[in-house]
Amino acid sequence: MSSSLRPGSGGEDEKDPHVLRNKGGFLSPVISIVTHEGRPTVLKDYRPKNPLTRGLLAPSLVRREFAVLRLLHGIPGIPRAFGIVKKRAFLLEYIDGKTLNKFGPGELPDRVFERLCETVRAIHARGVAHLDLRQRKNILIAGDQPWIIDFANAVRGRLARRLFSIDESALLKFKQRNWPHLVTPADLEAIKDHKFLRKFWIFSPRGKSVR
């Protein structure tokens, strides 16, 4: 299976993969934990999807997200992308953590929020907007380190620079929810300003965003 894997070598072991998520969405990949070079690794795989997604859309989706992760390589809190598998799947670093919504107000130290902000600003400094931070599954906490995952909706370039405020809005909501003692009057005003625009943002469907 590793014939189209790049960079590196070794491929991955698909025997009895542990499936983390197999959503029925048209463009949602099957996400599993497999073994790559002797360690647990995440496999985002479009090959089990419907014929249209698998045959026509998957190669572009894989190349796009993989390219973003490679661009962000080296930023603390961004998982490493290991390689593309047969054009329709790719491997990335497995993070053993819990999603941010599993923690209540005040349960995490302030430095976790500080590091989360640093990671988001570092992403922006490389010309990338995530756009999907409000989704609860997209921020993992491992120890004191937050990890930002799933860059399927991320954009790069000039358009991204116009959309950084969407990521900043997500940071404010997490701050309000998990670190309420850090919220300032200016933060509360900014949150109000973002509420109207959020109604029109398609990547945070009702019931799944952090509120």
Side-chain angles (χ1 to χ4, degrees):
M1 177 174 181
S2 60
S3 59
S4 59
L5 180 66
R6 64 179 194 275
S9 60
E12 85 277 3
D13 182 3
E14 283 192 294
K15 295 179 180 178
D16 300 320
H18 174 56
V19 177
L20 295 178
R21 187 163 72 247
N22 185 7
K23 294 172 63 177
F26 190 72
L27 297 178
S28 300
V30 176
I31 301 178
S32 307
I33 298 177
V34 298
T35 300
H36 171 62
E37 296 183 345
R39 58 188 170 187
T41 304
V42 173
L43 176 69
K44 296 189 70 172
D45 195 352
Y46 290 91
R47 289 169 297 176
K49 302 299 291 184
N50 62 79
L52 178 60
T53 298
R54 180 177 66 248
L56 183 62
L57 303 176
S60 176
L61 294 171
V62 167
R63 288 195 308 269
R64 184 174 177 274
E65 186 170 1
F66 185 79
V68 169
L69 286 167
R70 295 295 289 177
L71 177 62
L72 302 179
H73 179 76
I75 295 177
I78 303 299
R80 291 171 292 169
F82 295 130
I84 293 175
V85 182
K86 293 187 176 178
K87 298 182 180 181
R88 292 169 174 80
F90 69 95
L91 295 163
L92 68 156
E93 183 178 6
Y94 170 69
I95 307 300
D96 187 8
K98 296 194 296 184
T99 54
L100 183 56
N101 67 300
K102 302 296 183 182
F103 298 90
E107 291 185 358
L108 291 168
D110 295 352
R111 60 181 172 273
V112 174
F113 181 69
E114 294 168 359
R115 290 174 179 173
L116 179 60
C117 291
E118 290 170 357
T119 299
V120 171
R121 277 44 177 290
I123 291 171
H124 291 173
R126 297 196 187 181
V128 174
H130 187 281
L131 302 185
D132 213 9
L133 290 180
R134 286 179 176 271
Q135 295 291 328
R136 298 177 178 184
K137 62 182 173 60
N138 288 339
I139 299 179
L140 296 178
I141 308 298
D144 289 342
Q145 177 63 56
W147 292 82
I148 299 176
I149 60 173
D150 196 346
F151 285 80
N153 291 321
V155 297
R156 300 184 288 170
R158 292 182 179 180
L159 176 61
R161 299 183 187 282
R162 297 177 181 273
L163 299 174
F164 289 165
S165 61
I166 294 170
D167 293 346
E168 295 289 347
S169 174
L171 287 177
L172 282 174
K173 293 301 293 184
F174 283 124
K175 186 178 184 180
Q176 185 182 46
R177 181 183 185 277
N178 293 89
W179 297 273
H181 60 286
L182 298 179
V183 175
T184 66
D187 290 333
L188 293 176
E189 289 299 317
I191 290 170
K192 290 180 183 179
D193 292 341
H194 286 301
K195 281 185 177 180
F196 176 76
L197 291 176
R198 186 165 64 85
K199 295 178 182 179
F200 303 96
W201 187 239
I202 63 173
F203 295 124
S204 294
R206 185 174 299 275
K208 293 184 179 181
S209 61
V210 177
R211 303 180 184 276

